[in-house]
Amino acid sequence: MIKTKNTYINREISWLRFNERVLQESADKSVPLIERLRFLGIFSNNLDEFFKVRYATVKRIVEAGKKGKSALGGEIAKDLLEQITKIVIEQQSNSLEILRSVEKELEGENIFIINETEITEKQSEFIKDYFIKKVSPVLMTIILNDLREFPVLNDTAAYLAVKMVLKNSESKENRYALIQIPKRVDRFVELPKEGDKNYIIILDDLIRYCMDGVFTMFEYESISAHMIKITRDAELDIDDDLSKSFIEKISSSVAHRKIGDPVRFVYDKSIAADTLSFLKEKMNVEDTDSVIPGGRYHNRRDYMGFPSLGRQDLQYEKISPLPIKGLSIDGSLLERIAEKDYLQYTPYHTFSYIIRFLREAALDPKVRTIKITVYRLANNSQVAAALINAVKNGKQVTVQIELQARFDEAANIFYAEKLQEEGVKLIFGVPGLKVHSKICIIEREEDEGIKRYGFISTGNFNESTAKIYTDYTLFTAHTPILKELNKVFDFFETTYKINKYKHLIVSPHYTKSVFKGLIDQEIKNAQEGKEAYIKIKMNSITSYKMIDKLYEASNAGVKIQMIVRGVCCLIPGVPGMSENIEAISVVDKFLEHTRIFVFGNGGDPKVYISSADWMTRNLDFRVEVGCPIYDKDIKQELIDTFEISWKDNLKARIYSDKQDNAYRKNDKEKVRSQFELYNYYQQKLNS
């Protein structure tokens, strides 16, 4: 196969197309109105992280004087930055149109978002009182003209850039100031209800309305305020000072992130030219930075927290997570797991089984040890509480905690220190590798000796995200699997020792080679005239080596179905390259986070779940764990869930070389997979 620029989709461009699918949800009239606003918030939050990480990475390539073509799928880094900015400007413009449309529809539901020019006398009294009591005490205001150095702007904050034209000044001197929108005050302020009508004012406009009270010491002829926002490079630069602990190094690096190089500057496009020029000069905004004219409001990620106003009819109907058939949460989980494996699929199943498993282990007098990996925990983590409870009951608890979980570093440092104080043995990972595996193993002293129990998951042990992230967790007492799981924890403590595995698929040493071997077997089956197929569901695929292997399988006649939520650098359906590959993305109410791999294997399918996507970082630079499914019922259950997702024709978008996020045509019976999956488990429970 000849490789050209059209062999792969660039990773950054594919990511922007994924975020466009999120934006599509905010425009979809079948999505409840308040949820559409929240999707706008998710779109904005995603974009912030993209610029902090991916755009910043490409910018570093440019500043190093390199083209970066091999790493960027054939794109030249400088050209890519321009392409990204062009796409983002277009998406931002589209998002503003969607926002205006949604706000108009909200008015039809008696929900009015007003600005500072629409305030009634009655509302004025409430707003001024609210400002004095809640906003003014936490308002950070900086007069810029007389400062020797421009203040360092926080990349997670939005600012009002204020321009005052002073009175009694021949030159009509301008004074400039910055007001930071406070984070400790709700962005959406609910005003007193009037009859059936709900009124909301955005905090930015509430501050605009009260600016006279902020700048009383200046006599100005006119005053204006426009929103600006800056995004900084979020890469962690960890020093090599041997005298510092790893926690100290990460803490220092997270603190340094606040003054990282700017990579994006967004401003209200109605801002005065002289104000914009003043700010860009003082902030040293460079040519390689993405300068994006935007709307009146930034940090639209705050729309993720738009108030419900008691209007459940304008939100998704809440589902009640189901129990796992045959596994009572009231009785002993260990007794049942000793008999057979069980599969938990959140949020369709309740996450409580993981908490219950850990709590039972914490109290069971026969349990001796608990070992678990931690990547992201909930703010008030029941998982952490159960582990601390286990220590207090004399268990030996070992926690491998990943301090470099991006944007959760501070939270994980907090938990690391708390767990350490309580006597938990902490492991801080492997030099040069992130630990992304989701595994737990306990050892219990029974009549016939030590018996192991454990669980292996595709997602984080986080009860908050488990309500909106779809993830598989396998509970098992399978002796060979758990013996190998113990080897993974041995690797954390003796990193020089590379173990061999017959069952688990472990990165960084084996994931790539094992999956390539499984693909080779399907190629061989196809060449021998046997049925040959691969079904894959994951978050992202960016590894060119794995993509090339799938192209090779396609050319050999292997039928490949892929469900990839986020980044997909593979181009399906191209004659002579990928004609036997179909790929879709499902974006809906829940965030698709599962990873499942099904190989036809000549009629006896092999099925795996894994914490790893097929990205270079997951294959080569992280500790990941994939697990085979041996239980026939669970194997079929996983294949069923894949097939339900694959049949989606309401929320599935088709991947193609056009990258147009076209919806799959709905000419058959309507299938909305996330709703069908809940029905599937309800029926399973009742059968």
Side-chain angles (χ1 to χ4, degrees):
M1 185 184 71
I2 299 172
K3 294 182 185 178
T4 69
K5 185 179 177 181
N6 297 321
T7 304
Y8 316 108
I9 300 295
N10 169 264
R11 172 179 170 167
E12 281 66 39
I13 301 303
S14 181
W15 188 95
L16 289 172
R17 296 308 176 202
F18 153 66
N19 208 32
E20 193 174 87
R21 296 193 283 278
V22 176
L23 192 58
Q24 284 178 323
E25 288 299 291
S26 67
D28 186 341
K29 290 185 181 292
S30 72
V31 175
L33 266 177
I34 289 177
E35 302 293 351
R36 288 169 66 186
L37 278 181
R38 290 170 181 167
F39 272 113
L40 277 169
I42 296 168
F43 165 81
S44 182
N45 187 64
N46 287 347
L47 204 54
D48 285 348
E49 292 193 7
F50 172 80
F51 273 93
K52 290 176 187 179
V53 181
R54 296 308 309 166
Y55 188 95
T57 299
V58 180
K59 182 184 173 185
R60 286 187 177 207
I61 293 172
V62 173
E63 292 178 342
K66 298 177 181 177
K67 290 188 176 181
K69 287 181 71 173
S70 61
L72 299 173
E75 300 282 350
I76 296 172
K78 193 172 187 304
D79 295 343
L80 181 58
L81 291 184
E82 294 173 4
Q83 196 178 347
I84 288 169
T85 300
K86 182 180 177 182
I87 292 171
V88 170
I89 289 173
E90 183 182 323
Q91 289 183 349
Q92 289 281 45
S93 176
N94 189 18
S95 73
L96 290 172
E97 288 182 23
I98 294 168
L99 178 58
R100 283 191 286 268
S101 173
V102 173
E103 287 177 343
K104 192 72 179 171
E105 289 184 57
L106 283 170
E107 290 177 6
E109 296 288 343
N110 278 333
I111 298 171
F112 299 88
I113 302 174
I114 63 172
N115 64 34
E116 76 278 11
T117 66
E118 302 169 297
I119 294 167
T120 65
E121 189 174 329
K122 185 177 179 182
Q123 291 167 340
S124 176
E125 185 179 334
F126 175 88
I127 284 170
K128 287 179 179 177
D129 183 63
Y130 187 94
F131 180 81
I132 290 168
K133 289 179 178 176
K134 294 196 175 182
V135 183
S136 183
V138 294
L139 206 62
M140 180 71 72
T141 307
I142 306 169
I143 308 299
L144 298 173
N145 296 66
D146 301 326
L147 294 180
R148 290 185 179 179
E149 292 185 11
F150 196 84
V152 176
L153 302 190
N154 187 332
D155 77 334
T156 61
Y159 295 83
L160 288 174
V162 179
K163 172 187 173 183
M164 293 175 279
V165 179
L166 300 185
K167 287 181 180 178
N168 305 320
S169 171
E170 292 181 10
S171 61
K172 296 291 181 187
E173 181 189 356
N174 295 336
R175 282 271 172 177
Y176 297 103
L178 286 179
I179 299 175
Q180 182 173 338
I181 305 299
K183 294 180 186 177
R184 285 180 283 173
V185 182
D186 289 337
R187 187 82 183 275
F188 302 99
V189 180
E190 294 182 49
L191 302 178
K193 199 171 179 179
E194 297 181 12
D196 292 334
K197 294 182 178 180
N198 292 279
Y199 291 92
I200 289 174
I201 187 168
I202 297 177
L203 183 58
D204 322 10
D205 291 332
L206 187 146
I207 293 170
R208 284 185 172 101
Y209 187 75
C210 298
M211 276 199 304
D212 281 347
V214 178
F215 299 105
T216 52
M217 64 293 299
F218 294 100
E219 291 188 22
Y220 48 81
E221 190 175 284
S222 64
I223 186 169
S224 59
H226 295 80
M227 187 72 75
I228 65 167
K229 180 171 97 171
I230 197 162
T231 305
R232 298 185 181 279
D233 185 341
E235 191 63 41
L236 292 182
D237 294 312
I238 303 171
D239 67 44
D240 55 4
D241 185 346
L242 297 177
S243 67
K244 292 182 180 178
S245 71
F246 194 53
I247 290 181
E248 288 175 315
K249 290 178 183 180
I250 297 293
S251 299
S252 173
S253 191
V254 170
H256 184 75
R257 181 185 274 164
K258 296 176 182 177
I259 56 173
D261 291 337
V263 291
R264 177 180 59 156
F265 176 61
V266 186
Y267 61 92
D268 182 343
K269 59 188 173 187
S270 66
I271 196 170
D274 57 346
T275 307
L276 181 61
S277 178
F278 173 86
L279 291 168
K280 286 172 68 176
E281 180 185 344
K282 294 291 186 183
M283 293 165 65
N284 296 318
V285 174
E286 301 172 356
D287 292 339
T288 50
D289 299 325
S290 190
V291 179
I292 299 174
R296 180 178 172 91
Y297 309 102
H298 305 320
N299 271 13
R300 288 204 302 277
R301 64 171 178 262
D302 292 338
Y303 278 99
M304 290 191 292
F306 192 83
S308 63
L309 301 168
R311 294 294 301 272
Q312 190 54 50
D313 58 317
L314 300 182
Q315 301 171 79
Y316 279 127
E317 184 180 346
K318 290 181 178 165
I319 67 165
S320 299
L322 302 167
I324 299 170
K325 185 176 181 179
L327 190 61
S328 171
I329 209 155
D330 295 326
S332 169
L333 296 191
L334 299 185
E335 282 183 13
R336 300 310 305 272
I337 295 167
E339 297 168 359
K340 70 180 294 291
D341 291 354
Y342 289 91
L343 184 74
Q344 171 187 282
Y345 190 5
T346 54
Y348 312 109
H349 288 141
T350 175
F351 182 80
S352 300
Y353 286 100
I354 285 178
I355 304 299
R356 182 72 180 85
F357 181 100
L358 293 172
R359 284 182 176 163
E360 183 177 341
L363 299 179
D364 188 335
K366 293 183 178 180
V367 170
R368 296 289 175 258
T369 67
I370 302 173
K371 298 177 184 177
I372 192 170
T373 57
V374 166
Y375 196 74
R376 301 185 197 276
L377 290 174
N379 286 337
N380 188 18
S381 174
Q382 295 177 50
V383 171
L387 295 172
I388 290 170
N389 193 24
V391 171
K392 292 184 182 296
N393 280 285
K395 316 301 180 190
Q396 184 181 335
V397 179
T398 301
V399 175
Q400 194 294 318
I401 188 164
E402 181 49 71
L403 295 185
Q404 297 182 72
R406 198 183 301 276
F407 304 122
D408 273 343
E409 298 95 345
N412 282 5
I413 288 167
F414 165 78
Y415 273 117
E417 291 175 338
K418 185 174 182 179
L419 290 167
Q420 210 164 34
E421 285 172 8
E422 297 290 350
V424 172
K425 178 184 177 183
L426 292 186
I427 307 172
F428 293 121
V430 182
L433 300 174
K434 273 190 182 181
V435 177
H436 191 248
S437 54
K438 327 291 187 180
I439 55 177
C440 175
I441 184 170
I442 70 167
E443 293 181 332
R444 189 171 186 267
E445 197 173 277
E446 300 184 1
D447 293 342
E448 60 273 24
I450 294 293
K451 185 171 178 62
R452 296 187 176 105
Y453 300 80
F455 51 85
I456 302 167
S457 186
T458 65
N460 303 309
F461 305 138
N462 183 318
E463 56 269 29
S464 297
T465 58
K467 295 173 184 175
I468 52 172
Y469 283 37
T470 69
D471 275 303
Y472 299 120
T473 301
L474 177 73
F475 292 94
T476 185
H478 190 278
T479 301
I481 285 177
L482 294 173
K483 186 177 180 181
E484 291 190 356
L485 212 57
N486 213 38
K487 287 184 181 180
V488 178
F489 283 97
D490 288 343
F491 174 67
F492 295 148
E493 299 191 67
T494 53
T495 56
Y496 59 87
K497 185 180 179 182
I498 300 175
N499 295 300
K500 291 186 178 181
Y501 303 90
K502 289 182 180 179
H503 303 273
L504 299 181
I505 303 177
V506 181
S507 292
H509 303 114
Y510 302 111
T511 301
K512 193 189 302 177
S513 60
V514 171
F515 277 123
K516 279 187 174 182
L518 289 163
I519 296 171
D520 280 333
Q521 183 59 52
E522 294 306 309
I523 292 172
K524 184 172 181 288
N525 289 344
Q527 290 169 340
E528 293 175 357
K530 299 177 184 176
E531 182 186 24
Y533 65 84
I534 300 170
K535 301 174 189 288
I536 298 170
K537 189 168 188 279
M538 64 176 91
N539 297 324
S540 297
I541 176 167
T542 65
S543 166
Y544 299 145
K545 290 180 180 178
M546 297 307 296
I547 291 171
D548 288 346
K549 199 68 188 172
L550 291 174
Y551 287 161
E552 182 187 340
S554 172
N555 287 332
V558 180
K559 299 295 182 183
I560 302 170
Q561 295 173 329
M562 302 178 66
I563 306 174
V564 183
R565 186 200 78 228
V567 178
C568 182
C569 295
L570 176 148
I571 310 173
V574 178
M577 183 176 81
S578 57
E579 61 199 70
N580 286 309
I581 304 177
E582 295 179 85
I584 63 170
S585 171
V586 175
V587 175
D588 199 356
K589 177 180 179 180
F590 304 126
L591 186 137
E592 296 287 341
H593 197 250
T594 52
R595 289 107 169 171
I596 176 177
F597 306 88
V598 182
F599 299 90
N601 193 40
D604 182 19
K606 290 187 174 183
V607 180
Y608 300 84
I609 61 170
S610 178
S611 61
D613 291 311
W614 283 1
M615 304 175 75
T616 302
R617 70 186 188 194
N618 302 98
L619 301 173
D620 299 332
F621 302 109
R622 288 186 172 185
V623 179
E624 307 272 10
V625 173
C627 179
I629 304 299
Y630 294 135
D631 182 284
K632 288 184 179 180
D633 292 338
I634 293 177
K635 186 186 288 189
Q636 188 58 52
E637 183 179 330
L638 286 165
I639 293 172
D640 289 347
T641 62
F642 179 93
E643 293 299 335
I644 291 169
S645 293
W646 181 256
K647 289 175 183 174
D648 194 305
N649 56 20
L650 288 177
K651 291 296 182 178
R653 284 76 155 182
I654 299 167
Y655 282 109
S656 72
D657 56 354
K658 294 178 184 176
Q659 299 184 70
D660 57 358
N661 281 329
Y663 284 88
R664 180 181 269 172
K665 288 182 181 177
N666 181 17
D667 54 359
K668 302 176 184 176
E669 181 183 352
K670 293 180 180 179
V671 178
R672 191 168 179 180
S673 59
Q674 292 186 350
F675 289 42
E676 290 301 322
L677 282 163
Y678 187 74
N679 293 338
Y680 170 84
Y681 279 107
Q682 272 189 319
Q683 291 168 12
K684 200 175 189 66
L685 201 59
N686 297 327
S687 63

